[in-house]
Amino acid sequence: MADRTHQRCAVDEVLAIAPRVNRLAVRTAAPATLSDADTRQAQRCAAALGLTDGQPIVTVETLNRPDLWAPALAVLRDEGFQVVRLPAVVDVAADTADAPLLARYLVARSAFVVCTSSDGQSAADAAGTPSLRLDARDPITAYPIRTHGIYTLATVIDLDTGHALAIPELLTARYFRNSRNCGYRPTGAGEIAAAVTEMIEGVRHGWRDTDAQAQFRRAVADAGVALASQVRDVIEWDAAGGFVGDGRLARVQAERAR
């Protein structure tokens, strides 16, 4: 009886959680825009840093592993994009009040954003800018909401056994319960380059799912519903109602997720 009571209380506690995001609202929200005055000020700041309007840019949130980023950067430059490292730009302008404004302007102006955090992904969504999020630690809460969003998953390692979890294993209650006992290996250089290439194709030719990507989206949505009463994060990130997003897992990983 005590066990049943504890289980009911745990379920009630999870169901009482207020979501921190409304995925359907993000899906349909109009992009946030800067005022004309703010746009002119941000343009002056960008010009002072050598950024011009003549070349498309891709804003990258972080570049802490040059060995992993090198092939993707080569792809971007070969395709005519100017790569802007957002932390570096913000550091340059850190002594001024214009740093946040410049960051918003660059995200809005970018052909797409490459990020590794939920904040970077959310900033791109707010601006209506396509985004590629790298190294998400679970498939559900980080699932891209807008149709022009793509993500990759970090490789999850069970630290007790050294076993690398397959992507479908990340959609189970067992993974969420044991995630504290897991390590994470970043997305490999080849997969980053492939995902960047997919982003460029989407920006230029439109966003299309492969069968594997559509299948994975359905699996994530179904897992969100199934885990709602067991996993706090699923409700916090509004993934319990059967809709997780219109984006997709990068093609290169979706084929491994079947």
Side-chain angles (χ1 to χ4, degrees):
M1 183 182 298
D3 287 342
R4 288 196 300 270
T5 300
H6 175 74
Q7 184 176 6
R8 283 198 302 271
C9 289
V11 170
D12 290 343
E13 180 182 357
V14 169
L15 294 178
I17 297 168
R20 67 172 75 180
V21 64
N22 184 323
R23 287 180 177 263
L24 288 173
V26 173
R27 179 197 210 183
T28 58
T33 58
L34 295 174
S35 68
D36 290 344
D38 283 345
T39 298
R40 288 191 295 270
Q41 178 62 21
Q43 287 172 335
R44 287 192 290 270
C45 293
L49 295 171
L51 302 176
T52 64
D53 291 333
Q55 186 179 12
I57 67 171
V58 170
T59 298
V60 177
E61 186 180 61
T62 183
L63 286 174
N64 57 354
R65 287 288 303 272
D67 56 324
L68 297 181
W69 278 94
L73 292 176
V75 169
L76 288 168
R77 287 165 180 152
D78 288 347
E79 293 296 329
F81 293 94
Q82 184 174 9
V83 178
V84 177
R85 294 201 297 169
L86 190 56
V89 170
V90 172
D91 287 346
V92 168
D95 291 335
T96 78
D98 294 322
L101 177 63
L102 178 59
R104 287 183 60 197
Y105 170 76
L106 291 172
V107 168
R109 185 190 144 186
S110 294
F112 60 92
V113 169
V114 184
C115 61
T116 57
S117 69
S118 59
D119 288 343
Q121 190 179 39
S122 296
D125 282 343
T129 300
S131 67
L132 168 61
R133 179 173 175 183
L134 301 175
D135 301 334
R137 294 190 172 189
D138 81 79
I140 299 177
T141 65
Y143 197 91
I145 298 173
R146 291 187 182 259
T147 190
H148 51 216
I150 294 175
Y151 74 155
T152 70
L153 296 166
T155 299
V156 181
I157 309 296
D158 185 319
L159 297 179
D160 280 338
T161 65
H163 167 66
L165 276 62
I167 291 175
E169 293 181 83
L170 308 185
L171 295 172
T172 64
R174 182 178 182 276
Y175 166 63
F176 281 92
R177 292 191 186 114
N178 297 328
S179 61
R180 292 182 180 177
N181 199 40
C182 292
Y184 299 90
R185 185 183 301 152
T187 305
E191 290 192 344
I192 294 174
V196 165
T197 298
E198 185 178 353
M199 289 296 299
I200 295 170
E201 292 173 1
V203 167
R204 291 177 174 171
H205 306 297
W207 307 91
R208 301 178 182 87
D209 291 333
T210 64
D211 290 343
Q213 287 173 317
Q215 180 180 335
F216 187 71
R217 183 188 296 109
R218 290 191 295 269
V220 174
D222 290 346
V225 174
L227 296 177
S229 63
Q230 306 172 62
V231 180
R232 179 187 185 96
D233 285 351
V234 170
I235 295 182
E236 279 194 339
W237 289 97
D238 193 27
F243 172 77
V244 289
D246 296 317
R248 58 202 52 80
L249 181 64
R251 280 193 308 244
V252 66
Q253 291 192 346
E255 294 301 324
R256 293 196 283 107
R258 287 177 179 269

